[in-house]
Amino acid sequence: MFRGYSLRQKEVVNISTAERLGYIRDVEINENNGIVEAIIVPRRGSIFGRFFGGGDIIIPWNAIEAVGDDLVLVRLFDADFEKLS
C-alpha cells in the first residue's frame, strides 16, 4: 500500500508512446467508497489551463500498469487523450 502524498512525487510515463506526461498533481477519489478513480497530471505547456481548468490529463486508475519507486507507468492511446482532456 502507498499513501496519496507519495503518488504526487512520481513521474507518469505512457508506455504506449514512451512519452513522459509529467508529475501527478492530484488524485480523484470516489467519495462514497474512498477508492482512487483517477490520477491528474497537468498538461504540458498549458499555463492558463492550470489556473482556469482544462489543462489537465485525467488518467483513470484502470489505465495504470505499474507503480514503482519513481514512476507510474500508464497505457494510454491517442483516443484516450481525446476523451480525457
Side-chain angles (χ1 to χ4, degrees):
M1 183 192 291
F2 50 87
R3 301 204 181 272
Y5 179 77
S6 67
L7 278 176
R8 291 185 64 154
Q9 301 170 355
K10 297 181 189 303
E11 185 174 16
V12 179
V13 176
N14 184 359
I15 59 177
S16 298
T17 61
E19 180 183 5
R20 291 178 164 185
L21 301 177
Y23 289 86
I24 297 172
R25 179 172 66 180
D26 207 350
V27 294
E28 187 175 294
I29 299 173
N30 183 314
E31 293 178 11
N32 297 325
N33 58 22
I35 294 175
V36 176
E37 293 189 345
I39 57 175
I40 301 171
V41 177
R43 191 177 297 275
R44 290 182 183 212
S46 178
I47 294 171
F48 292 113
R50 290 183 187 172
F51 296 109
F52 301 112
D56 294 333
I57 302 169
I58 300 171
I59 303 168
W61 190 256
N62 62 3
I64 296 175
E65 295 287 328
V67 177
D69 291 337
D70 299 325
L71 292 174
V72 175
L73 301 178
V74 299
R75 186 177 303 276
L76 295 175
F77 300 100
D78 290 338
D80 294 327
F81 282 110
E82 292 174 12
K83 289 187 284 185
L84 301 174
S85 57

